[in-house]
Amino acid sequence: MITLENINEFFADYPVKDIDCNHNILMDYEKIFEVYDGKFGYLSYLEFKSSDNSEIFLGSYPMNGADLWKCKKCGKLKFFYTETGGHFPQTLSVDVDFNKKYLSDPFAKSVSIKAEKLSDFITTFGFSELQNSEKIEKFNGIKVIDKSKSYIFGYHEFNGDIAFNVIADKTTLRKIYDFENS
């Protein structure tokens, strides 16, 4: 069984690595693993990577909304995801890169809370950056992050709601999702 935590072992043992596959419609493939975790709520469009680009973060865009599929005809592996960025939704794919390491944490999530809950949010999760929101970095391309930390990006307020993106481990994001819905 494939999990986020053992996906690298699955890829290392997978027998079909270097193959030219001309099968490119979704019907040629079968889904074998869901990367998406619906317990996070709405996932972020934020993309981040390691500084040397040797690691792929399954928790950042577009992988955080992807599923792993296998070609029924030749066995090639691809990640399929739905792109909805300002146009009619379309299904896109990314080939599995067997030369890279896939990391299961951290994940990126879009958060939306009422302004009156901000103090409770800071106390509960320790994101003291929210006390000085003017210093929070805006979106300006791909972020290079230290995997051991949590981050907030793209803070904005609108009609009494505060929205921002959080990068954190899956357990923290599940707790944040519960907080959002409380």
Side-chain angles (χ1 to χ4, degrees):
M1 184 172 149
I2 309 169
T3 66
L4 285 173
E5 289 71 24
N6 76 5
I7 200 163
N8 290 299
E9 289 82 12
F10 174 79
F11 290 152
D13 294 338
Y14 195 72
V16 183
K17 290 187 172 64
D18 297 318
I19 187 169
D20 289 327
C21 174
N22 296 321
H23 312 116
N24 58 9
I25 61 171
L26 198 55
M27 292 185 333
D28 291 335
Y29 287 80
E30 62 182 337
K31 182 168 42 170
I32 60 172
F33 179 66
E34 292 185 14
V35 175
Y36 174 72
D37 186 337
K39 297 177 187 134
F40 298 164
Y42 180 70
L43 294 172
S44 173
Y45 284 108
L46 184 64
E47 179 182 3
F48 49 95
K49 60 184 179 179
S50 58
S51 58
D52 63 358
N53 202 22
S54 64
E55 299 168 325
I56 294 178
F57 291 85
L58 294 170
S60 78
Y61 179 81
M63 307 311 262
N64 60 3
D67 295 315
L68 183 63
W69 292 63
K70 178 176 81 172
C71 181
K72 294 184 270 190
K73 298 177 181 179
C74 68
K76 184 173 179 101
L77 296 177
K78 288 182 179 258
F79 289 101
F80 281 94
Y81 65 97
T82 302
E83 168 62 59
T84 59
H87 50 74
F88 188 76
Q90 54 186 325
T91 301
L92 301 175
S93 68
V94 177
D95 289 350
V96 170
D97 187 337
F98 293 97
N99 297 313
K100 299 200 178 181
K101 183 176 181 184
Y102 289 81
L103 301 179
S104 61
D105 269 325
F107 264 68
K109 174 188 176 359
S110 292
V111 177
S112 180
I113 59 173
K114 296 288 181 196
E116 62 266 14
K117 291 177 87 175
L118 181 61
S119 180
D120 288 343
F121 184 89
I122 293 169
T123 301
T124 302
F125 298 102
F127 286 107
S128 58
E129 303 95 327
L130 289 167
Q131 293 171 334
N132 298 305
S133 59
E134 68 280 354
K135 295 182 181 177
I136 295 174
E137 192 172 347
K138 300 297 180 194
F139 293 112
N140 63 353
I142 296 172
K143 306 297 177 192
V144 176
I145 68 163
D146 174 349
K147 299 175 293 299
S148 65
K149 298 190 178 173
S150 299
Y151 290 88
I152 293 177
F153 292 100
Y155 177 99
H156 65 276
E157 295 182 41
F158 183 74
N159 284 342
D161 289 336
I162 296 173
F164 49 89
N165 284 264
V166 170
I167 297 174
D169 61 273
K170 295 184 293 291
T171 302
T172 300
L173 293 186
R174 287 183 188 113
K175 291 176 183 174
I176 289 173
Y177 178 68
D178 291 340
F179 181 93
E180 283 179 290
N181 293 311
S182 67

